């Protein structure tokens, strides 16, 4: 059974987090959320029991950012959701930056959506095709081949644009981990309106 | 500022809950979630600190199902999300059933999505046009004019089908509460792919 780690912080866009996590679970992917702390005193970080999303929904993480449960030896996919403040916290965290490089190096997938794509820059990923929310385009454009596609797959890096592309982003991750048939099996009972382009 | 109450229970479909709540907040709607309890001992209900969604995401409610914060004197909209087990808990709760009738009688909106539409039957709403997740169609078809439209607006009752219709459902609620311009203002930065039919 494939396994995924979805990061979560105060200010994470809760639709992007929830759509990705829920869709992966529907596909049978063992999915774990890990809280990335906002506040630290020296080596001690303060982890509240819940993360407050960008629009105020309080979500309790399954776990915390600990090497023993977060590494590429544990999961096949690492996901960085958006939300300006959440993505800033996640993408500037050195443990996360190292995790991203380790996942890519181990041949595992890394998904980034919305402002979460800033993590590609912050973790020094090489120049490649990528997309993001338009609000952070200017920060990414000099260092990547910027695309306006809803979902961009570049080797093991999968990027996307915002809450409105979260379903095709999550379904693309399902397809990469579990195959095209599973993607169809998961999408059908969600009842997308006729004409939905994914 | 319009105000909305979104119900939440163990087994609520977390995408439907989160997309609706988040989209309403983006529109400037004052939004409150209230936990509908699963377990009661006589008159005493046991309310855990978080609701476990249908795919395992733990969400902390803003409030509980108390008359002082849940009535149609407090809010312009009541939302019943889906998720088979969550919708069963919510739609069979007599306090919720009375709230639904009170909201409709007061000229306030009631939104139901997915299996949440069962609440229309359980609260004895009159025969009218309605939709739901296909999995509960057979239970609703004898008593309502069943539609397969992604979103059905029938007077003050707004119904929808599943996670795949949660965005047009939420945006329709925004339009009813805040107008067409606000709907556009909220939808644009979500970056729906070109060709998305809402």
């Amino acid at each position: 059974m494939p396994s995924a780690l979805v990061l979560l912080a105060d200010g994470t866009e809760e639709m992007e987090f929830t759509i990705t996590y829920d869709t992966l679970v529907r596909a049978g992917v063992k999915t774990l959320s890990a809280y990335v702390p906002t506040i630290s005193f020296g080596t001690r970080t303060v982890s509240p029991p819940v993360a407050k999303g960008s629009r105020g929904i309080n979500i309790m993480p399954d776990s915390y950012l600990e090497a023993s449960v977060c590494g590429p030896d544990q999961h096949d996919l690492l996901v960085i959701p958006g939300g300006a403040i959440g993505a800033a916290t996640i993408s500037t965290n050195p443990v996360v930056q190292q995790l991203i490089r380790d996942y890519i190096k181990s041949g595992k997938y890394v998904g980034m959506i919305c402002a979460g794509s800033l993590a590609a820059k912050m973790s020094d990923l090489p120049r490649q095709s990528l997309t993001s929310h338009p609000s952070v385009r200017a920060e990414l454009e000099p260092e990547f081949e910027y695309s306006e596609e809803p979902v961009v797959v570049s080797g093991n890096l999968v990027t996307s644009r915002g809450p409105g592309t979260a379903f095709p982003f999550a379904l693309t991750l399902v397809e990469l981990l579990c195959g095209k048939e599973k993607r169809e099996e998961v999408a059908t009972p969600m009842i997308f309106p006729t004409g939905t382009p994914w």
Side-chain angles (χ1 to χ4, degrees), chain A:
Chain A
M1 184 198 286
S3 174
L5 178 73
V6 186
L7 299 183
L8 178 64
D10 290 319
T12 288
E13 215 305 319
E14 45 270 75
M15 296 193 278
E16 294 165 1
F17 170 83
T18 303
I19 291 169
T20 308
Y21 186 113
D22 184 316
T23 302
L24 289 167
V25 170
R26 283 171 176 250
V29 176
K30 195 178 156 203
T31 306
L32 189 83
S33 63
Y35 181 85
V36 180
T38 306
I39 309 160
S40 51
F41 297 108
T43 57
R44 184 171 153 260
T45 54
V46 178
S47 295
V50 292
K52 186 175 272 299
S54 65
R55 271 72 190 183
I57 297 178
N58 289 302
I59 298 174
M60 179 177 282
D62 302 324
S63 182
Y64 294 94
L65 191 62
E66 284 159 12
S68 62
V69 295
C70 291
D73 52 325
Q74 304 283 324
H75 307 282
D76 305 293
L77 165 68
L78 168 67
V79 179
I80 321 278
I85 293 167
T89 297
I90 293 172
S91 68
T92 56
N93 185 300
V95 176
V96 173
Q97 293 166 0
Q98 189 58 50
L99 273 181
I100 291 168
R101 290 188 290 265
D102 290 348
Y103 269 70
I104 296 284
K105 213 166 83 180
S106 309
K108 303 298 181 83
Y109 289 104
V110 176
M112 301 174 180
I113 181 167
C114 196
S117 295
L118 285 173
K121 179 181 174 179
M122 299 302 291
S123 56
D124 289 322
L125 294 192
R127 186 175 188 85
Q128 60 194 297
S129 188
L130 158 157
T131 191
S132 72
H133 196 271
S135 59
V136 297
R137 178 182 183 141
E139 292 179 70
L140 293 165
E141 214 161 18
E143 300 186 34
F144 296 91
E145 286 151 31
Y146 197 88
S147 163
E148 291 187 344
E149 286 299 309
V151 184
V152 174
V153 182
S154 165
N156 285 356
L157 178 66
V158 183
T159 52
S160 191
R161 310 209 77 197
T165 64
F167 278 114
F169 172 66
L171 290 168
T172 300
L173 296 174
V174 165
E175 185 173 339
L176 291 168
L177 290 178
C178 312
K180 215 178 176 66
E181 253 180 65
K182 181 60 81 177
R183 177 185 178 141
E184 289 309 310
E185 189 189 313
V186 167
T188 302
M190 289 187 182
I191 321 293
F192 291 105
T194 308
T196 299
W198 59 80

